[in-house]
Amino acid sequence: MYKVLPQSEGPALGLMISGKIDITEEQEMIELAEKVLAEHDKLNLLVIVGENVWASLEAAYADLRWITTHLKNVAKLAIVTDSKTLGWLVEQDAKIARHLGIGERHFATDELEEAWTWTKSA
C-alpha cells in the first residue's frame, strides 16, 4: 500500500510505502510521477519505506521499466528507512546514480525533515 505525503509540491513527490505493492498501486504511483513530469522537467522523489515492503513481480517489473525509461527525468531520490541493509544498498546505488546525473541519498526516519529539505532544494 502507498500514501502520498502532504508535503508533496512542485517537482517534489513524497510517498510512504508499506506492505505489498501490487500492479494497480504501482500504476497509480507511476501516474502520479507522470503528472509531476507533465508540469516540471524533473522529478524529486522522497520515499519512506515501511516495514515488510514487497512488490508483486508484475509491479516490480513495471517499476523497473518506468525508471529505466525515465532516468533523464529524475533529479533526486531520497529513501527514508531505518533498515541498515536498504540504507547500504541506497549508498551503493547512489554511486551509479551520480554518473547518471541523479542525486540519491539515504535518510533515517528521524531525519525526515532533512530529507524533505534536501529533496526540495535546487
Side-chain angles (χ1 to χ4, degrees), residues 62-74:
D63 184 71
L64 183 60
R65 186 178 56 225
W66 187 86
I67 195 66
T68 57
T69 59
H70 289 80
L71 288 171
K72 67 183 180 302
N73 302 111
V74 178

Side-chain angles (χ1 to χ4, degrees), residues 5-26:
L5 299 172
Q7 299 93 328
S8 299
E9 63 181 351
L13 174 61
L15 301 170
M16 179 184 294
I17 60 172
S18 60
K20 179 185 177 188
I21 301 296
D22 62 21
I23 187 60
T24 301
E25 291 174 314
E26 180 62 35

Side-chain angles (χ1 to χ4, degrees), residues 16 23 32 35 43 45 56 87 108 119-120:
M16 179 184 294
I23 187 60
L32 290 168
K35 285 181 183 178
L43 171 67
L45 188 60
S56 70
T119 302
K120 291 181 176 184

Side-chain angles (χ1 to χ4, degrees), residues 3-97:
K3 174 183 167 186
V4 177
L5 299 172
Q7 299 93 328
S8 299
E9 63 181 351
L13 174 61
L15 301 170
M16 179 184 294
I17 60 172
S18 60
K20 179 185 177 188
I21 301 296
D22 62 21
I23 187 60
T24 301
E25 291 174 314
E26 180 62 35
Q27 289 170 335
E28 290 170 358
M29 289 187 286
I30 288 171
E31 287 176 17
L32 290 168
E34 294 285 353
K35 285 181 183 178
V36 170
L37 289 173
E39 296 179 21
H40 305 277
D41 292 336
K42 298 282 187 171
L43 171 67
N44 296 336
L45 188 60
L46 181 145
V47 181
I48 300 173
V49 181
E51 295 290 321
N52 302 316
V53 172
W54 65 283
S56 70
L57 185 57
E58 190 177 23
Y61 177 72
D63 184 71
L64 183 60
R65 186 178 56 225
W66 187 86
I67 195 66
T68 57
T69 59
H70 289 80
L71 288 171
K72 67 183 180 302
N73 302 111
V74 178
K76 292 184 176 183
L77 175 59
I79 303 295
V80 181
T81 181
D82 287 330
S83 166
K84 292 182 188 290
T85 302
L86 188 52
W88 181 83
L89 289 170
V90 169
E91 290 171 11
Q92 301 315 304
D93 191 59
K95 296 171 187 175
I96 297 167

Side-chain angles (χ1 to χ4, degrees), residues 101-115:
I102 300 169
E104 184 175 358
R105 286 186 59 189
H106 164 253
F107 296 88
T109 56
D110 63 354
E111 299 174 314
L112 182 57
E113 279 303 313
E114 181 184 345

